[in-house]
Structure formats: structure tokens, C-alpha cells
Amino acid sequence: MVKPNWNHLRAVLAAAASFAAAAGVLALAPAAAQAETTGDHCAYDIVRDDLSCADSPEAALAANSVGIQADTVLVRLYDQANYGTANGTFTLTAPGSYTCSAAYSPVEFTVTRMGSFVNRASSAHTYRSCDVKLFDSADATGTSSTWIDNLANLDTAAGGWSNRASSFQVS
């Protein structure tokens, strides 16, 4: 009869448990750990928590999409008034064919990850029954705008919101 080496067996089991725990932590790590790319045009997939930036709005959307399923644009913020794209855009997407509820409550998404687009929005366009509320502080705190559907010049919103948004909510 062979006697097991209990010390060796305990060491192997401890190493296996440690590896399994580490693998579990890695599996649970959010997609936000991915590096953001450079570029003036960013697309943010709210469901996957994935921000991709590129040199054009189309390239940012292409970098942000996964496989054959197209992303649905919910909100696009522009660095220029009148929806000008020359200086940059921030596009919020969701996979598939998501449509907002068209009601202000409950809030459907809170966007606190805007990359280099903080304090740059000068116009806003919403899609798929969505509206956007801008906040002047991170984490959707501080002073907020009214709910905005489409606005070619955010300076005309009550309180003047051009180049002021640090985060926003969508409903």
C-alpha cells in the first residue's frame, strides 16, 4: 500500500485553490480595464462598458462594435454647436436595437466615463426615444440641465451647458 505524502498533497491543493481564485478574479474584472484609444471621436457601449476612440465618428463606432451585431446609437454629443463633427464627438451606444422608454423616470443609464470628452459638448442629438440630462460634476452629481432631446447649441439651454458636461443620464 502506498502512503500519500500529505504535505505535498496540501501544497498542490493550495496552489490549485490559489490559481482558481485568481482566475475567478480575472474572469470578474470589468471591461473598463481595457485601455482607451486615442482620437477626438469616442463611442461608448454602455452595456459592455467599452470606450473606443478614433479619428472619425464612423471609425469609433466600428472599433466599438462586436461581431456582426450592430450597436444602436442612443446619444451623440458634439464638440461644436450645430452638430459639427470637426472637433470631436461622443457617441453612446447599446448593443442590438435598444429603445429608451420615452419617460424621464426611471433613469435608464448613467454615463460617468466620457474619456477626453469631459467639458467639451456644445450640441446634443438623441435617438430611439432617448433624452439626456447633463451634469457639471462626475458621477451625475452637481448642477444638472433639464432633459434634452435635440439641441443644436447647448448654450441656449437654461443655465448654459456648452463645454460644461462631465457626466450625463439617459432616459
Side-chain angles (χ1 to χ4, degrees):
M1 181 167 151
V2 176
K3 249 181 141 176
N5 180 340
W6 293 110
N7 289 334
H8 177 68
L9 185 58
R10 276 193 277 273
V12 168
L13 289 175
S18 178
F19 177 78
V25 169
L26 289 175
L28 296 175
Q34 298 173 3
E36 296 174 10
T37 57
T38 59
D40 288 328
H41 302 274
C42 297
Y44 179 62
D45 185 303
I46 191 72
V47 174
R48 289 191 331 267
D49 189 24
D50 184 35
L51 179 66
S52 301
C53 300
D55 292 332
S56 72
E58 296 79 17
L61 284 173
N64 189 255
S65 64
V66 173
I68 60 172
Q69 183 178 18
D71 284 344
T72 299
V73 173
L74 303 179
V75 175
R76 182 167 282 161
L77 302 175
Y78 300 82
D79 193 357
Q80 294 179 304
N82 300 312
Y83 313 113
T85 62
N87 293 335
T89 58
F90 182 91
T91 306
L92 177 69
T93 67
S97 58
Y98 188 88
T99 298
C100 290
S101 66
Y104 298 141
S105 181
V107 170
E108 294 179 54
F109 302 112
T110 298
V111 178
T112 60
R113 189 168 177 227
M114 294 177 64
S116 65
F117 214 76
V118 170
N119 298 327
R120 289 180 57 192
S122 294
S123 54
H125 196 287
T126 61
Y127 304 87
R128 311 211 33 103
S129 301
C130 297
D131 292 307
V132 63
K133 180 184 271 193
L134 308 172
F135 290 83
D136 65 2
S137 297
D139 299 321
T141 60
T143 304
S144 66
S145 70
T146 58
W147 286 101
I148 296 168
D149 184 20
N150 296 315
L151 192 56
N153 185 348
L154 290 175
D155 260 346
T156 63
W161 279 89
S162 185
N163 300 320
R164 187 172 166 190
S166 295
S167 59
F168 63 94
Q169 291 179 330
V170 177
S171 189

